[in-house]
């Protein structure tokens, strides 16, 4: 099954309104068994594409996952990437910068974790936190050792430009950037936070900070709208995935990743004269 995820893209130059973007749509799947079958098909396809990526070693894939708390980032990574060989896939979660990270520019720690050619990198949160949480809580900018900006609009404008330039640099250097925002409603987040408390295996995730940050919901939505508008470009568009239905969201995420893979030239290069000679020598040694 191929899902049309084109409508989920934020078109370059668009000023998206998250209030007008749905957090829930009609399910793609007919039942949980149907969902499992489709996800298994996607996993098989992803595994085949990843093997070609690894074998050719000429490109890398960077998946950036963003979303409010409980939006389903961890679950999407776990279920969508389940069939991918872990040898060539690395997941990195970005939390508050460490003391060492804070002494560098805001992109530094992301650069240190970029996937090498032939590999997949998944950022669970990312360098975008520096234009999201820090836009909502600008006092955190001081924690980076920076002076308080005199002109905030100009400060954010420069950060967005740094991100666009960074992602353009990655694209030119054979790293495909896939950006996905899991769009959850405030009511659904409340339901999931309560579920965390009530579920023994998940209660450890519950935090008073989750409740505190809900007070800034509108500010976060505004920060995301600015980030999406400023950094969604034709070569690295944002995808806004309705995330109130976790199963639906995972199918959309896996399709987005498959589509990104299929834009890459993953056909194996024919062996040159030197390689043909080497292969002949290997054959002779094995047969002899």
């Amino acid at each position: 099954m191929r899902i049309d995820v084109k409508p989920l893209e934020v078109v370059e130059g668009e000023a998206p309104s998250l209030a007008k973007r749905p957090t829930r749509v009609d399910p793609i799947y007919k039942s949980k068994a149907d969902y499992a079958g489709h996800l298994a098909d996607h996993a098989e396809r992803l595994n085949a594409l990843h093997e070609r990526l690894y074998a050719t070693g000429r490109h890398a894939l960077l998946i950036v996952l963003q979303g409010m708390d409980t939006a389903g980032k961890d679950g999407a990574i776990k279920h969508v990437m389940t069939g991918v060989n872990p040898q060539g896939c690395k997941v990195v979660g970005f939390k508050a910068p460490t003391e060492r990270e804070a002494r560098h520019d805001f992109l530094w720690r992301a650069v240190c974790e970029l996937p090498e050619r032939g590999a997949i990198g998944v950022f669970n949160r990312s360098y975008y936190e520096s234009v999201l949480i820090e836009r909502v809580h600008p006092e955190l900018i001081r924690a980076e050792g920076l002076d308080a900006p005199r002109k905030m609009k100009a400060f954010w404008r420069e950060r967005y430009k740094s991100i666009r330039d960074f992602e353009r640099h990655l694209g030119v250097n054979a790293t495909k950037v896939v950006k996905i925002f899991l769009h959850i409603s405030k009511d659904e987040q409340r339901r999931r936070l309560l579920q965390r408390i009530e579920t023994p295996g998940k209660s450890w995730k519950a935090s008073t900070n989750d409740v505190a940050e809900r007070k800034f919901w509108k500010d976060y939505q505004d920060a995301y709208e600015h980030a999406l508008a400023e950094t969604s470009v034709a070569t690295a568009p944002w995808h806004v995935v309705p995330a109130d239905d976790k199963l639906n969201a995972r199918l959309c995420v896996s399709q987005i990743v498959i589509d990104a893979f299929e834009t890459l030239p993953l056909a194996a290069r024919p062996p040159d004269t030197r390689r043909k000679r080497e292969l002949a020598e290997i054959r002779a040694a094995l047969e002899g």
Side-chain angles (χ1 to χ4, degrees), residues 242-255:
D244 280 3
D245 182 337
K246 290 183 179 180
L247 307 188
N248 230 37
R250 291 167 190 166
L251 291 176
C252 289
V253 169
S254 58
Q255 185 67 67

Side-chain angles (χ1 to χ4, degrees), residues 166-195:
F166 174 58
E167 292 176 347
R168 178 184 175 279
H169 167 77
L170 293 179
V172 169
N173 286 276
T175 295
K176 175 76 174 177
V177 182
V178 183
K179 300 183 295 191
I180 300 170
F181 170 59
L182 296 175
H183 186 27
I184 189 177
S185 66
K186 192 176 183 181
D187 286 343
E188 177 62 19
Q189 188 200 55
R190 177 179 175 274
R191 189 189 71 79
R192 293 183 187 179
L193 288 173
L194 287 170
Q195 188 180 47

Side-chain angles (χ1 to χ4, degrees), residues 175-247:
T175 295
K176 175 76 174 177
V177 182
V178 183
K179 300 183 295 191
I180 300 170
F181 170 59
L182 296 175
H183 186 27
I184 189 177
S185 66
K186 192 176 183 181
D187 286 343
E188 177 62 19
Q189 188 200 55
R190 177 179 175 274
R191 189 189 71 79
R192 293 183 187 179
L193 288 173
L194 287 170
Q195 188 180 47
R196 277 184 181 178
I197 298 171
E198 296 161 1
T199 306
K202 294 184 178 180
S203 59
W204 64 271
K205 291 184 177 182
S207 167
T208 55
N209 189 58
D210 296 335
V211 178
E213 287 301 287
R214 276 173 62 81
K215 299 175 183 178
F216 300 95
W217 185 273
K218 289 184 178 179
D219 296 323
Y220 276 110
Q221 299 299 293
D222 179 69
Y224 267 109
E225 287 178 353
H226 278 91
L228 297 175
E230 293 286 345
T231 62
S232 194
V233 297
T235 53
W238 274 102
H239 298 80
V240 179
V241 175
D244 280 3
D245 182 337
K246 290 183 179 180
L247 307 188

Side-chain angles (χ1 to χ4, degrees), residues 49 52-53 55-59 261-270:
L49 289 165
R52 287 164 57 188
L53 179 80
T56 56
R58 301 199 306 273
H59 295 269
F261 257 122
E262 292 179 344
T263 65
L264 299 176
L266 298 180
R269 291 176 177 172

Side-chain angles (χ1 to χ4, degrees), residues 67-98:
M68 299 291 286
D69 289 335
T70 77
K73 298 180 292 297
D74 291 336
I77 294 167
K78 177 182 176 180
H79 292 273
V80 171
M81 309 306 291
T82 186
V84 172
N85 187 339
Q87 185 178 6
C89 181
K90 181 181 180 182
V91 179
V92 182
F94 288 92
K95 300 183 184 298
T98 64

